[in-house]
Amino acid sequence: MENDKNNKENIVRDKIILFVIGVLVGAVISTAAFFVYTKTLVTNGNINNNSSHQMPSGTPPEMPSNDQNGGTPPEMPNNNSQGNQDNTPPEKPSDDNSNSGNS
């Protein structure tokens, strides 16, 4: 009986040790893969960034503009349908209408 208990404890201990070793090995492998990925990204990224985002003279390209008025923002729309000339918000409706469907 005592032998079975020790045997089960050894099996559980072995499984825990294997799990911890697997987690550590997985962490080392994923860290190494991350370092390799970032190293290749940095070396390839510097070459691509210099040639694709800048003109040969070293100046960045201009952004395309579809504005006809020289880049000024459009005017705010006037809400004349409510008759609010002094830019005050409309009044809140009374609670009588909203509570009528709840009864």
Side-chain angles (χ1 to χ4, degrees):
M1 192 72 146
E2 185 75 25
N3 238 354
D4 288 339
K5 186 176 181 182
N6 286 339
N7 198 13
K8 288 180 182 180
E9 288 177 0
N10 287 337
I11 291 173
V12 170
R13 188 180 314 131
D14 289 343
K15 287 183 179 183
I16 291 173
I17 289 173
L18 281 176
F19 175 75
V20 170
I21 290 173
V23 168
L24 292 175
V25 169
V28 169
I29 290 172
S30 62
T31 302
F34 176 74
F35 282 136
V36 168
Y37 173 74
T38 56
K39 181 140 180 94
T40 57
L41 183 68
V42 167
T43 56
N44 291 340
N46 288 341
I47 295 169
N48 292 339
N49 285 343
N50 290 338
S51 63
S52 66
H53 292 299
Q54 290 186 346
M55 300 300 284
S57 64
T59 58
E62 291 184 21
M63 291 185 62
S65 176
N66 294 334
D67 292 336
Q68 300 296 327
N69 54 4
T72 58
E75 294 181 18
M76 296 278 293
N78 291 332
N79 293 334
N80 289 337
S81 62
Q82 296 287 332
N84 294 337
Q85 296 296 328
D86 56 355
N87 292 332
T88 57
E91 292 183 19
K92 181 179 175 183
S94 65
D95 289 337
D96 295 338
N97 293 339
S98 62
N99 290 336
S100 62
N102 293 337
S103 54

